[in-house]
């Protein structure tokens, strides 16, 4: 399992590097090498590290440990075919990481990021709609059962397309430089994690690399099905490229617009679920 965790971290960091490269190329820039995020993480792990005087020391360090624990547990659930509901519950706990990180250091920039993390809770609304629609089709929220359903009836991507769009938007809200990335907008420097540096930033990078891998792999398993690891990794890469393209051509939304779009999307999916329930 340790090998799986390390592999997910490394592959996730490579996805982050690919993300920056695609955005740069779309915008007419050369961009950094794909392995740049791995180099950044290693650099942070060996830099001098301390805790700001204004920080709450327990919370400052605890959120880093919590981020690693959350996404390690999420990967284990994903690899063992566990409950999709439990996996998404861990995703929701990640909001504590964002809010706690922003409040822990005492920096006004990270505090604004923490405030925006509360506002961005609207990004979880499409997630709830996605879960409901998946259950409506498969009758289960166990990842193993969802995979078994798709092995018999084919991928859920087409019949449950609104749920796929909802989860795609959820993932987009957690991708760096995206239209919904209001908690780490440039006017906040690095947003909620501005004051975490050195080893703390390196560990955050590793945890968030694993987060990206888990979310993308979840999308593949839930909407494409069990297609084998090589093809799954290829689909993850293609999905990452599509997200990067959206980020490259879409401006950063204001908090109000971000919440409005995500709420409207949830409402439309809810109407679709009601339609299926009435006419199915």
């Amino acid at each position: 399992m340790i090998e799986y965790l390390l592999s997910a971290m490394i592959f996730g960091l490579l996805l982050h590097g690919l993300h920056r490269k695609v955005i740069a190329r779309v915008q007419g820039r050369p961009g950094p090498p794909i392995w740049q995020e791995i180099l950044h993480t290693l650099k942070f792990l060996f830099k001098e590290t301390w805790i700001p005087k204004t920080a709450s020391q327990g919370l400052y360090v605890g959120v880093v440990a919590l981020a690693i624990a959350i996404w390690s547990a999420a990967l284990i659930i994903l690899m063992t075919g566990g409950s999709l509901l439990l996996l998404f519950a861990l995703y929701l706990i990640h909001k504590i990481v964002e809010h706690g990180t922003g409040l822990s250091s005492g920096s006004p920039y990270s505090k604004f990021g923490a405030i925006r993390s509360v506002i961005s809770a609207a990004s979880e609304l499409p997630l709830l709609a996605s879960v409901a629609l998946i259950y409506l089709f498969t009758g289960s929220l166990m990842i193993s059962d969802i995979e078994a359903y798709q092995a018999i009836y084919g991928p859920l991507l087409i019949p449950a397309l609104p749920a796929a769009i909802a989860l795609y938007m959820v993932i987009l809200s957690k991708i760096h430089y995206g239209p919904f990335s209001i908690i780490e907008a440039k006017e906040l420097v690095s947003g909620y994690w501005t004051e975490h540096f050195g080893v703390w930033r390196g560990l955050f990078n590793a945890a968030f690399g694993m987060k990206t891998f888990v979310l993308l792999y979840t999308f593949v398993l839930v909407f494409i099905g069990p297609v084998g690891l090589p093809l799954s990794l290829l689909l993850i890469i293609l999905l990452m490229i599509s997200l990067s393209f959206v980020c490259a051509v879409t401006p950063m939304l204001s908090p109000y617009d971000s919440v409005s779009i995500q709420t409207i999307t949830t409402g439309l999916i809810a109407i679709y679920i009601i339609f299926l329930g009435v006419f199915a």
Side-chain angles (χ1 to χ4, degrees):
M1 189 55 67
I2 293 178
E3 293 178 356
Y4 283 129
L5 295 175
L6 291 176
S7 299
M9 287 180 183
I10 294 172
F11 193 75
L13 290 172
L14 287 174
L15 289 173
H16 287 178
L18 176 65
H19 180 56
R20 292 183 62 186
K21 173 65 78 173
V22 172
I23 290 176
R25 288 300 177 88
V26 171
Q27 295 177 348
R29 299 180 285 108
I34 292 176
W35 54 85
Q36 186 64 51
E37 291 301 314
I38 294 178
L39 298 179
H40 275 322
T41 300
L42 292 174
K43 176 190 69 176
F44 283 125
L45 290 175
F46 290 99
K47 288 180 72 70
E48 184 178 2
T49 302
W50 68 90
I51 299 175
K53 289 184 178 180
T54 57
S56 170
Q57 295 188 15
L59 185 59
Y60 186 89
V61 177
V63 288
V64 180
L66 182 60
I68 295 174
I70 286 173
W71 294 109
S72 296
L75 180 64
I76 293 172
I77 292 172
L78 190 62
M79 301 301 295
T80 56
S83 172
L84 186 64
L85 193 61
L86 182 56
L87 177 63
F88 286 160
L90 289 172
Y91 169 86
L92 295 177
I93 294 175
H94 182 73
K95 187 62 63 180
I96 297 176
V97 173
E98 295 175 347
H99 193 62
T101 303
L103 295 179
S104 65
S105 69
S107 165
Y109 297 106
S110 59
K111 283 183 179 179
F112 275 113
I115 293 171
R116 286 190 177 185
S117 75
V118 177
I119 298 174
S120 68
S123 65
E124 275 75 55
L125 293 176
L127 181 64
L128 298 176
S130 179
V131 169
L133 191 53
I134 291 169
Y135 182 81
L136 187 62
F137 274 96
T138 64
S140 174
L141 288 177
M142 294 296 293
I143 296 175
S144 56
D145 292 340
I146 296 171
E147 290 181 300
Y149 176 91
Q150 293 180 101
I152 298 174
Y153 299 103
L156 280 171
L157 183 62
I158 301 303
L161 182 60
I165 294 173
L167 185 55
Y168 187 91
M169 286 186 62
V170 169
I171 298 173
L172 185 62
S173 72
K174 295 301 178 186
I175 294 294
H176 299 308
Y177 320 117
F180 301 114
S181 302
I182 59 174
I183 59 175
E184 51 187 40
K186 293 305 180 184
E187 68 268 20
L188 303 180
V189 190
S190 293
Y192 67 99
W193 60 342
T194 297
E195 293 296 311
H196 278 73
F197 50 88
V199 170
W200 316 122
R201 174 57 73 86
L203 293 175
F204 260 147
N205 279 357
F208 294 164
M210 187 158 48
K211 174 197 71 176
T212 298
F213 175 80
V214 167
L215 292 177
L216 294 177
Y217 196 21
T218 299
F219 186 96
V220 171
L221 287 181
V222 170
F223 294 109
I224 306 297
V227 293
L229 185 59
L231 184 54
S232 293
L233 294 179
L234 176 60
L235 291 172
I236 288 173
I237 292 172
L238 294 176
L239 187 59
M240 185 77 252
I241 291 174
S242 73
L243 289 163
S244 302
F245 183 82
V246 173
C247 293
V249 300
T250 307
M252 175 77 70
L253 297 173
S254 69
Y256 173 80
D257 291 333
S258 176
V259 171
S260 297
I261 291 175
Q262 290 162 334
T263 304
I264 291 172
T265 301
T266 304
L268 293 175
I269 297 172
I271 293 173
Y272 181 71
I273 292 173
I274 295 173
F275 175 82
L276 288 180
V278 172
F279 296 101

